[in-house]
Amino acid sequence: MIDQWSMTPKRIQYVHVLALRQKGLSREDYKGRLNAAGVTSCKDFTRMQYQNFMRSLNRLPDAPTTT
């Protein structure tokens, strides 16, 4: 059975929203986390890399909200 999983535009958007907006990572921190995951762009994630990356982001506290 061939795995048809891929990084869709919706998944890419979700990674960016979670990392940069919800968790408040800087671009440098985000790129560093991508490099640690073995990619230079989230577009290159395998299913396993994506799952591990998202788990690691979800363990981070949310950025403080400003009102």
Side-chain angles (χ1 to χ4, degrees), residues 34-51:
L34 287 177
N35 288 333
V39 297
T40 56
S41 169
C42 70
K43 293 175 186 176
D44 300 328
F45 277 149
T46 64
R47 180 194 305 247
M48 185 67 69
Q49 287 170 318
Y50 172 77
Q51 291 170 340

Side-chain angles (χ1 to χ4, degrees), residues 2 4-5 9-10 22 27 34 39 56 58-59 61 64-65:
I2 297 175
Q4 294 296 320
W5 189 90
K10 277 194 167 266
Q22 185 175 336
R27 285 275 176 195
L34 287 177
V39 297
S56 73
N58 281 313
R59 285 193 288 267
T65 57

Side-chain angles (χ1 to χ4, degrees), residues 13-56:
Q13 181 181 17
Y14 183 57
V15 169
H16 292 161
V17 168
L18 181 63
L20 303 172
R21 290 190 197 158
Q22 185 175 336
K23 300 303 179 178
L25 295 180
S26 68
R27 285 275 176 195
E28 295 79 26
D29 288 340
Y30 172 67
K31 290 294 185 181
R33 287 180 172 274
L34 287 177
N35 288 333
V39 297
T40 56
S41 169
C42 70
K43 293 175 186 176
D44 300 328
F45 277 149
T46 64
R47 180 194 305 247
M48 185 67 69
Q49 287 170 318
Y50 172 77
Q51 291 170 340
N52 290 337
F53 190 81
M54 296 306 282
R55 267 195 294 275
S56 73

